[in-house]
Amino acid sequence: MIEGDRELSAMIQELWDNDINRLRPGIDYRISLQGKADDSDGAGLPLFTFVDEKNFKKETFLAFISLLDNYESDTGEPEIVTPEEELENHKFLDSIIKTLTMKMAHRYLVRKHLSPEDTADFKKQLYHIWFELYARRGSSKPDSSGFKHVFVGETRGDHTVIGFHNWIQLYLQEKLGHIGYKGYSVNAKSPQPDENKHILALQFSWKNGIKPKGSIFIGVSPEFEFALYTLCFLTSPNERVKVSFSVYEAEIVCHHYNQKHIGTTYPVLVKYLNV
């Protein structure tokens, strides 16, 4: 592991250790992995068998969930941000900036001269990276943003789901009957998934489209994901950063859009660490 990735891993470990709003597998939520996704349906039942929704009453979860219905899923459909939605974006950023997780990420980025020290200016930077609209491939009008792609999900054409790397959105959409869980995804190199671990590769359908292979954190807080992905976006010019934290060795994929915005970002489990 190169030195920069080792330093980033230590920082991510600190974020992990201080993610006090993370849900506990088997206690706060349960998933049912069922079969492997392949040509035949590897799963006949939902992924989530239980989630204690009391956790969704926490400030950052409430603010995050309020943003999920603010977007058109179709790429090519221009996004129109209402004043109310803009207010919700700011309310969400205000809620996560107060958390220890995000404060730690901010301090680290200031030390590296990658973010302004002033909190209001840091919030503007986050807004720019995550919420400013841009035109995704094939579109002439602003129809996408980092937040929309990563946390909400998008559809391209009639049959393809792109983005959609968030467990809360997955759970809420599954509860509404919009998600068809098809099973977990593994290849020859990847470890078998575990219902008590926090990273999962899976296949699912959403609306009329299919996500052939998606990879997500499960149970983590919105502030942990926001802090982690922002760190990777600002600290690494590489599109894949190898990090180790807790019991995971993972690659964080982070594609930049015009070097200004997040195009996509998600975790890929490499192996479990023997700790």
Side-chain angles (χ1 to χ4, degrees), residues 118-176:
D118 180 75
T119 305
D121 290 338
F122 179 52
K123 185 181 146 189
K124 281 180 195 160
Q125 183 187 29
L126 292 175
Y127 201 99
H128 180 67
I129 291 167
W130 284 101
F131 289 104
E132 276 191 8
L133 296 172
Y134 55 82
R136 200 163 277 280
R137 182 170 64 82
S139 175
S140 58
K141 297 190 174 77
D143 62 346
S144 189
S145 68
F147 184 89
K148 175 186 176 182
H149 183 85
V150 174
F151 293 107
V152 183
E154 301 180 292
T155 51
R156 178 178 283 152
D158 291 334
H159 303 298
T160 309
V161 174
I162 57 174
F164 204 135
H165 298 289
N166 179 256
W167 77 270
I168 299 170
Q169 170 74 333
L170 189 74
Y171 165 71
L172 292 172
Q173 289 292 304
E174 187 174 69
K175 190 177 163 189
L176 290 169

Coordinates of all heavy atoms in Angstrom, one line a residue, residues 118-176:
D118 N -12.6 27.8 7.3 CA -13.9 28.4 7.7 C -15.1 27.4 7.4 O -15.2 26.9 6.3 CB -14.2 29.7 7.0 CG -15.5 30.4 7.3 OD1 -15.6 30.9 8.4 OD2 -16.4 30.3 6.5
T119 N -15.9 27.2 8.4 CA -17.0 26.1 8.2 C -18.0 26.5 7.1 O -18.4 25.6 6.3 CB -17.8 25.9 9.5 OG1 -16.8 25.6 10.5 CG2 -18.8 24.8 9.4
A120 N -18.3 27.8 7.0 CA -19.3 28.2 6.0 C -18.6 28.0 4.6 O -19.3 27.6 3.6 CB -19.6 29.7 6.2
D121 N -17.3 28.3 4.4 CA -16.7 28.1 3.2 C -16.5 26.6 2.8 O -16.6 26.2 1.7 CB -15.3 28.7 3.2 CG -15.4 30.3 3.1 OD1 -16.4 30.8 2.7 OD2 -14.4 30.9 3.6
F122 N -16.3 25.8 3.9 CA -16.2 24.3 3.7 C -17.6 23.8 3.2 O -17.7 23.0 2.3 CB -15.8 23.7 5.0 CG -15.7 22.1 4.9 CD1 -15.0 21.5 3.9 CD2 -16.4 21.4 5.9 CE1 -14.9 20.1 3.9 CE2 -16.3 20.0 5.8 CZ -15.6 19.3 4.8
K123 N -18.7 24.3 3.8 CA -20.0 23.9 3.4 C -20.2 24.3 1.9 O -20.8 23.5 1.1 CB -21.0 24.6 4.3 CG -22.5 24.1 4.0 CD -23.4 24.8 4.9 CE -24.7 25.1 4.2 NZ -25.7 25.9 4.9
K124 N -19.8 25.5 1.5 CA -19.9 25.8 0.1 C -19.1 24.9 -0.8 O -19.6 24.5 -1.9 CB -19.3 27.3 -0.2 CG -20.3 28.4 0.3 CD -19.6 29.7 0.0 CE -20.4 30.8 0.8 NZ -19.6 32.0 1.0
Q125 N -18.0 24.4 -0.4 CA -17.2 23.5 -1.1 C -17.9 22.1 -1.3 O -18.0 21.6 -2.4 CB -15.8 23.2 -0.5 CG -14.9 22.3 -1.2 CD -13.6 21.9 -0.5 OE1 -13.6 21.9 0.8 NE2 -12.6 21.7 -1.2
L126 N -18.5 21.7 -0.2 CA -19.3 20.4 -0.2 C -20.5 20.6 -1.2 O -20.8 19.6 -1.9 CB -19.8 20.1 1.2 CG -18.7 19.7 2.2 CD1 -19.4 19.5 3.6 CD2 -18.0 18.4 1.8
Y127 N -21.2 21.7 -1.1 CA -22.3 22.0 -2.0 C -21.9 21.9 -3.5 O -22.6 21.2 -4.3 CB -22.9 23.3 -1.7 CG -24.4 23.4 -2.2 CD1 -25.4 23.2 -1.3 CD2 -24.7 23.6 -3.5 CE1 -26.8 23.3 -1.7 CE2 -26.0 23.7 -4.0 CZ -27.0 23.5 -3.0 OH -28.3 23.6 -3.5
H128 N -20.8 22.5 -3.8 CA -20.2 22.5 -5.1 C -19.9 21.1 -5.6 O -20.3 20.7 -6.7 CB -19.0 23.4 -5.1 CG -18.3 23.5 -6.5 ND1 -18.9 24.1 -7.6 CD2 -17.2 23.0 -6.9 CE1 -18.1 24.0 -8.6 NE2 -17.1 23.4 -8.3
I129 N -19.3 20.3 -4.8 CA -18.9 18.9 -5.1 C -20.1 18.0 -5.3 O -20.1 17.2 -6.3 CB -17.9 18.3 -4.0 CG1 -16.6 19.1 -4.0 CG2 -17.7 16.8 -4.2 CD1 -15.7 18.7 -2.8
W130 N -21.0 18.1 -4.4 CA -22.1 17.1 -4.3 C -23.4 17.6 -5.0 O -24.2 16.7 -5.5 CB -22.4 16.8 -2.9 CG -21.4 15.9 -2.3 CD1 -20.3 16.3 -1.4 CD2 -21.2 14.5 -2.4 NE1 -19.6 15.1 -1.1 CE2 -20.1 14.0 -1.7 CE3 -22.0 13.5 -3.2 CZ2 -19.8 12.7 -1.6 CZ3 -21.6 12.2 -3.1 CH2 -20.5 11.8 -2.3
F131 N -23.8 18.8 -4.9 CA -25.1 19.2 -5.3 C -25.3 20.1 -6.5 O -26.4 20.2 -7.1 CB -25.8 20.0 -4.1 CG -26.1 19.1 -2.9 CD1 -25.4 19.1 -1.8 CD2 -27.2 18.2 -3.0 CE1 -25.7 18.3 -0.7 CE2 -27.5 17.4 -1.9 CZ -26.7 17.4 -0.8
E132 N -24.2 20.7 -7.0 CA -24.3 21.4 -8.2 C -24.6 20.5 -9.4 O -24.0 19.4 -9.5 CB -23.0 22.2 -8.5 CG -23.0 23.6 -7.7 CD -21.9 24.5 -8.1 OE1 -21.2 24.2 -9.1 OE2 -21.7 25.5 -7.4
L133 N -25.5 20.9 -10.2 CA -26.0 20.1 -11.3 C -25.0 20.2 -12.5 O -24.4 21.2 -12.7 CB -27.4 20.6 -11.8 CG -28.5 20.4 -10.8 CD1 -29.8 21.1 -11.3 CD2 -28.7 19.0 -10.4
Y134 N -24.9 19.1 -13.2 CA -24.1 19.0 -14.5 C -24.9 18.1 -15.5 O -25.8 17.3 -15.1 CB -22.7 18.6 -14.2 CG -22.5 17.3 -13.5 CD1 -22.6 16.0 -14.2 CD2 -22.3 17.2 -12.1 CE1 -22.4 14.8 -13.5 CE2 -22.1 16.1 -11.5 CZ -22.2 14.8 -12.1 OH -22.0 13.7 -11.5
A135 N -24.5 18.1 -16.7 CA -25.1 17.3 -17.7 C -24.3 16.0 -17.8 O -23.1 16.0 -18.2 CB -25.1 18.0 -19.1
R136 N -25.0 14.9 -17.5 CA -24.3 13.6 -17.6 C -24.2 13.2 -19.1 O -24.9 13.7 -19.9 CB -25.1 12.5 -16.8 CG -24.3 11.3 -16.5 CD -24.9 10.5 -15.3 NE -24.6 11.0 -14.0 CZ -23.5 10.8 -13.4 NH1 -22.6 10.0 -13.9 NH2 -23.2 11.3 -12.2
R137 N -23.4 12.2 -19.4 CA -23.1 11.8 -20.8 C -24.4 11.6 -21.6 O -25.4 11.0 -21.1 CB -22.4 10.5 -20.8 CG -22.0 10.0 -22.1 CD -21.0 8.8 -22.0 NE -21.6 7.7 -21.3 CZ -22.3 6.7 -21.9 NH1 -22.7 6.8 -23.2 NH2 -22.8 5.7 -21.2
G138 N -24.5 12.2 -22.7 CA -25.7 12.0 -23.6 C -26.8 13.1 -23.4 O -27.8 13.0 -24.0
S139 N -26.5 13.9 -22.4 CA -27.5 15.0 -22.1 C -27.0 16.4 -22.4 O -25.8 16.6 -22.2 CB -28.0 14.9 -20.7 OG -28.9 15.9 -20.4
S140 N -27.8 17.2 -22.9 CA -27.4 18.6 -23.1 C -27.8 19.6 -22.0 O -27.3 20.7 -21.9 CB -28.0 19.1 -24.4 OG -29.4 19.1 -24.3
K141 N -28.6 19.1 -21.1 CA -29.1 20.0 -20.0 C -28.6 19.4 -18.6 O -28.5 18.2 -18.5 CB -30.6 20.1 -20.0 CG -31.2 20.7 -21.3 CD -32.6 21.0 -21.1 CE -33.2 21.8 -22.3 NZ -33.4 20.9 -23.5
P142 N -28.5 20.3 -17.6 CA -28.1 19.8 -16.3 C -29.1 18.8 -15.8 O -30.2 19.2 -15.5 CB -28.0 21.0 -15.5 CG -27.8 22.1 -16.4 CD -28.6 21.7 -17.7
D143 N -28.7 17.5 -15.7 CA -29.7 16.5 -15.3 C -29.2 15.6 -14.2 O -29.8 14.6 -13.8 CB -30.1 15.6 -16.5 CG -28.8 14.8 -17.0 OD1 -27.7 15.2 -16.7 OD2 -29.0 13.9 -17.8
S144 N -28.0 15.9 -13.6 CA -27.4 15.0 -12.7 C -26.6 15.8 -11.6 O -26.3 17.0 -11.8 CB -26.5 14.0 -13.4 OG -26.0 13.0 -12.5
S145 N -26.2 15.1 -10.6 CA -25.3 15.7 -9.6 C -24.7 14.5 -8.9 O -25.1 13.4 -9.0 CB -26.0 16.6 -8.5 OG -26.9 15.8 -7.7
G146 N -23.6 14.8 -8.2 CA -22.9 13.7 -7.4 C -23.9 13.0 -6.4 O -24.0 11.8 -6.3
F147 N -24.7 13.9 -5.7 CA -25.6 13.3 -4.7 C -26.7 12.5 -5.4 O -26.9 11.4 -4.9 CB -26.3 14.5 -3.9 CG -27.2 14.0 -2.8 CD1 -26.6 13.7 -1.6 CD2 -28.5 13.7 -3.1 CE1 -27.5 13.2 -0.6 CE2 -29.3 13.1 -2.1 CZ -28.8 12.9 -0.8
K148 N -27.2 13.0 -6.5 CA -28.3 12.3 -7.1 C -27.8 10.9 -7.6 O -28.5 9.9 -7.4 CB -28.8 13.1 -8.3 CG -29.9 12.3 -9.2 CD -30.2 13.1 -10.4 CE -31.2 12.3 -11.3 NZ -31.5 13.1 -12.6
H149 N -26.6 10.9 -8.2 CA -26.1 9.7 -8.8 C -25.8 8.6 -7.8 O -26.2 7.5 -7.8 CB -24.9 10.0 -9.7 CG -24.3 8.8 -10.4 ND1 -24.8 8.3 -11.6 CD2 -23.4 7.9 -10.0 CE1 -24.1 7.2 -12.0 NE2 -23.3 6.9 -11.0
V150 N -25.0 9.0 -6.7 CA -24.5 8.1 -5.7 C -25.6 7.7 -4.8 O -25.8 6.5 -4.5 CB -23.3 8.7 -5.0 CG1 -22.9 7.8 -3.8 CG2 -22.2 9.0 -5.9
F151 N -26.4 8.6 -4.3 CA -27.3 8.3 -3.1 C -28.7 8.0 -3.5 O -29.4 7.3 -2.8 CB -27.2 9.4 -2.1 CG -25.9 9.6 -1.4 CD1 -25.0 10.6 -1.7 CD2 -25.5 8.6 -0.5 CE1 -23.8 10.7 -1.0 CE2 -24.3 8.7 0.2 CZ -23.4 9.8 -0.1
V152 N -29.2 8.6 -4.6 CA -30.5 8.4 -5.1 C -30.7 7.3 -6.2 O -31.5 6.5 -6.1 CB -31.2 9.7 -5.6 CG1 -32.6 9.6 -5.9 CG2 -31.0 10.8 -4.5
G153 N -29.7 7.4 -7.1 CA -29.8 6.5 -8.3 C -30.4 7.2 -9.5 O -31.2 8.1 -9.4
E154 N -30.0 6.7 -10.7 CA -30.6 7.2 -11.9 C -30.9 6.1 -12.9 O -30.4 5.0 -12.7 CB -29.5 8.2 -12.6 CG -29.1 9.3 -11.7 CD -28.0 10.2 -12.3 OE1 -26.9 9.8 -12.5 OE2 -28.4 11.4 -12.6
T155 N -31.7 6.4 -13.9 CA -32.0 5.4 -14.9 C -31.5 6.0 -16.2 O -31.7 7.2 -16.5 CB -33.5 5.1 -15.0 OG1 -34.3 6.3 -15.0 CG2 -33.9 4.3 -13.7
R156 N -31.0 5.1 -17.1 CA -30.6 5.5 -18.4 C -31.3 4.7 -19.4 O -31.2 3.4 -19.4 CB -29.1 5.4 -18.6 CG -28.6 5.8 -20.0 CD -27.0 5.7 -20.0 NE -26.4 6.8 -19.4 CZ -25.2 6.8 -18.9 NH1 -24.5 5.7 -18.9 NH2 -24.7 7.9 -18.3
G157 N -32.0 5.3 -20.3 CA -32.8 4.5 -21.3 C -33.9 3.8 -20.5 O -34.3 4.2 -19.4
D158 N -34.4 2.7 -21.1 CA -35.5 2.0 -20.5 C -35.0 0.9 -19.4 O -35.8 0.6 -18.6 CB -36.3 1.2 -21.6 CG -37.0 2.2 -22.4 OD1 -37.3 3.3 -21.9 OD2 -37.3 1.9 -23.6
H159 N -33.8 0.5 -19.6 CA -33.5 -0.8 -18.8 C -32.2 -0.7 -17.9 O -31.9 -1.7 -17.4 CB -33.3 -1.9 -19.8 CG -34.6 -2.1 -20.7 ND1 -35.8 -2.4 -20.1 CD2 -34.7 -2.0 -22.0 CE1 -36.7 -2.5 -21.1 NE2 -36.1 -2.3 -22.3
T160 N -31.6 0.4 -17.8 CA -30.3 0.5 -17.1 C -30.4 1.4 -15.9 O -30.8 2.6 -16.0 CB -29.2 0.9 -18.0 OG1 -29.2 0.2 -19.2 CG2 -27.8 0.8 -17.3
V161 N -30.0 0.9 -14.7 CA -29.9 1.7 -13.5 C -28.4 2.0 -13.3 O -27.6 1.2 -13.4 CB -30.4 0.9 -12.2 CG1 -30.1 1.7 -11.0 CG2 -31.9 0.6 -12.4
I162 N -28.1 3.3 -13.1 CA -26.8 3.7 -12.9 C -26.7 4.4 -11.5 O -27.7 5.0 -11.0 CB -26.2 4.7 -14.0 CG1 -27.1 5.9 -14.2 CG2 -26.1 3.9 -15.3 CD1 -26.5 6.9 -15.2
G163 N -25.5 4.4 -10.9 CA -25.4 5.0 -9.5 C -26.1 4.1 -8.6 O -26.0 2.9 -8.6
F164 N -26.8 4.7 -7.6 CA -27.6 4.0 -6.6 C -26.7 3.2 -5.7 O -26.8 1.9 -5.7 CB -28.7 3.2 -7.3 CG -29.9 2.9 -6.4 CD1 -31.2 3.0 -6.9 CD2 -29.7 2.5 -5.1 CE1 -32.3 2.7 -6.1 CE2 -30.8 2.2 -4.3 CZ -32.1 2.3 -4.8
H165 N -25.9 3.8 -4.9 CA -25.0 3.1 -4.0 C -25.3 3.4 -2.5 O -24.3 3.4 -1.7 CB -23.5 3.6 -4.3 CG -23.1 3.2 -5.7 ND1 -22.9 2.0 -6.1 CD2 -22.9 4.0 -6.8 CE1 -22.5 2.0 -7.4 NE2 -22.6 3.2 -7.9
N166 N -26.5 3.6 -2.2 CA -26.8 3.9 -0.8 C -27.9 2.9 -0.2 O -28.9 2.6 -0.8 CB -27.4 5.3 -0.7 CG -27.7 5.6 0.8 OD1 -28.9 5.7 1.1 ND2 -26.7 5.8 1.6
W167 N -27.6 2.4 1.0 CA -28.4 1.4 1.6 C -29.8 1.9 2.1 O -30.8 1.2 2.1 CB -27.7 0.7 2.7 CG -27.6 1.5 4.0 CD1 -26.6 2.3 4.4 CD2 -28.5 1.4 5.1 NE1 -26.8 2.9 5.6 CE2 -28.0 2.3 6.1 CE3 -29.7 0.7 5.4 CZ2 -28.6 2.6 7.3 CZ3 -30.3 1.0 6.6 CH2 -29.8 1.9 7.5
I168 N -29.8 3.2 2.5 CA -31.1 3.7 3.0 C -32.1 3.9 1.9 O -33.2 3.5 2.0 CB -30.8 5.1 3.7 CG1 -29.9 4.9 4.9 CG2 -32.1 5.7 4.2 CD1 -29.4 6.2 5.5
Q169 N -31.6 4.4 0.8 CA -32.5 4.5 -0.4 C -32.9 3.1 -0.9 O -34.1 2.9 -1.2 CB -31.7 5.2 -1.5 CG -32.4 5.2 -2.9 CD -33.6 6.1 -3.0 OE1 -34.3 6.4 -2.1 NE2 -33.9 6.5 -4.2
L170 N -32.0 2.1 -0.8 CA -32.3 0.8 -1.2 C -33.4 0.2 -0.3 O -34.4 -0.4 -0.8 CB -31.1 -0.1 -1.2 CG -31.2 -1.5 -1.8 CD1 -31.2 -1.5 -3.3 CD2 -30.1 -2.4 -1.3
Y171 N -33.2 0.4 1.0 CA -34.2 -0.1 1.9 C -35.6 0.5 1.7 O -36.6 -0.1 1.7 CB -33.7 0.1 3.4 CG -34.9 -0.1 4.4 CD1 -35.4 -1.3 4.7 CD2 -35.4 1.0 5.0 CE1 -36.4 -1.5 5.6 CE2 -36.4 0.9 6.0 CZ -37.0 -0.4 6.2 OH -38.0 -0.5 7.1
L172 N -35.6 1.9 1.6 CA -36.9 2.6 1.5 C -37.6 2.2 0.2 O -38.8 2.1 0.1 CB -36.6 4.1 1.6 CG -36.2 4.6 3.0 CD1 -35.8 6.1 2.9 CD2 -37.3 4.3 4.0
Q173 N -36.8 2.1 -0.9 CA -37.4 1.8 -2.2 C -37.9 0.3 -2.2 O -38.9 0.0 -2.8 CB -36.4 2.0 -3.3 CG -36.1 3.5 -3.6 CD -37.3 4.2 -4.2 OE1 -37.8 3.8 -5.3 NE2 -37.8 5.2 -3.6
E174 N -37.1 -0.6 -1.5 CA -37.6 -2.0 -1.4 C -38.9 -2.1 -0.6 O -39.8 -2.8 -1.0 CB -36.5 -2.8 -0.8 CG -36.8 -4.3 -0.8 CD -35.6 -5.1 -0.2 OE1 -35.3 -5.1 1.0 OE2 -35.0 -5.9 -1.0
K175 N -39.0 -1.3 0.4 CA -40.2 -1.3 1.3 C -41.4 -0.8 0.5 O -42.5 -1.3 0.7 CB -39.9 -0.3 2.4 CG -41.0 -0.3 3.5 CD -40.5 0.6 4.6 CE -41.7 0.9 5.5 NZ -41.3 2.0 6.5
L176 N -41.2 0.1 -0.5 CA -42.3 0.6 -1.4 C -42.6 -0.4 -2.5 O -43.5 -0.1 -3.3 CB -41.9 2.0 -1.9 CG -41.8 3.2 -1.0 CD1 -41.2 4.4 -1.6 CD2 -43.2 3.5 -0.5

